[in-house]
Amino acid sequence: MKKIYLLALIFGITVSIHAQNEVYPPSSEVLTEKILNLDAKAFDAYNTCDVAAFRTYFTTDLEFYHDKGGYSKGIEKFIETFKANICNEPKPKVIRKPVKESLKVYPLEGYGAILMGDHDFYQIENGVEKKTGTAKFINMWLLENGYWKMSRVLSYDHKPSH
């Protein structure tokens, strides 16, 4: 019986150590791939107005800073603004596309990551996509209970397209 207990204890410790190593800290390349993948999924939900899916990528205490639209705190206010300004027909549909070569991921040792870069915005009206502007962004991703979520979002230096 002692042998079984000892083996179970060793197995449990081994599994626990292995699982912790897989979750955090990942290598720089793995972290970058993970955050870029999450960003793509979050903004696929944004671009398709999948409000329920989009909401899942943010913490409840989200802080959003926008140089033109101001500051908002909390997921409910953010989603309300998202629905009113991005997914509100008959307004033209707004979509966001990150500028891939500008994207950089920086680890926040032990708890998160920062994604920085440029993003372009487009409007779709009558099936025609037209670039309307560009801006810079900083998204702070936190690892909470095994899930990555954005907790602070800055969108700034908005400029119209020429």
Side-chain angles (χ1 to χ4, degrees):
M1 189 67 163
K2 285 184 182 180
K3 286 182 184 181
I4 292 172
Y5 178 76
L6 186 57
L7 286 173
L9 181 62
I10 291 170
F11 177 76
I13 291 170
T14 303
V15 168
S16 176
I17 290 170
H18 181 66
Q20 288 175 3
N21 287 340
E22 282 186 2
V23 174
Y24 209 89
S27 70
S28 182
E29 296 81 22
V30 169
L31 178 64
T32 295
E33 183 178 332
K34 179 72 168 175
I35 296 300
L36 293 179
N37 185 37
L38 286 167
D39 181 76
K41 288 179 179 178
F43 285 96
D44 180 54
Y46 171 98
N47 290 339
T48 60
C49 286
D50 185 344
V51 177
F54 189 56
R55 169 191 292 273
T56 66
Y57 291 96
F58 300 94
T59 60
T60 57
D61 68 342
L62 171 70
E63 290 184 25
F64 182 71
Y65 302 85
H66 193 285
D67 63 342
K68 305 292 184 193
Y71 167 78
S72 70
K73 183 170 184 168
I75 188 65
E76 297 307 324
K77 177 69 175 163
F78 177 72
I79 293 297
E80 176 185 308
T81 303
F82 169 66
K83 289 192 292 191
N85 294 311
I86 305 302
C87 302
N88 186 15
E89 290 189 34
K91 291 180 184 178
K93 174 70 183 100
V94 175
I95 61 171
R96 177 236 194 208
K97 294 182 182 181
V99 178
K100 292 192 187 312
E101 59 274 3
S102 74
L103 302 178
K104 295 190 189 293
V105 175
Y106 300 94
L108 297 171
E109 290 298 326
Y111 64 95
I114 294 172
L115 171 60
M116 304 175 67
D118 298 333
H119 47 194
D120 295 331
F121 293 93
Y122 298 80
Q123 282 188 343
I124 300 175
E125 195 166 11
N126 300 321
V128 177
E129 187 177 292
K130 178 183 173 191
K131 185 175 176 183
T132 57
T134 189
K136 297 186 179 309
F137 72 94
I138 301 171
N139 295 339
M140 183 168 64
W141 289 83
L142 296 180
L143 182 60
E144 293 183 341
N145 301 318
Y147 295 97
W148 287 94
K149 295 186 178 240
M150 285 181 265
S151 72
R152 303 297 179 263
V153 175
L154 292 83
S155 188
Y156 59 98
D157 196 28
H158 285 81
K159 296 177 182 164
S161 284
H162 300 297

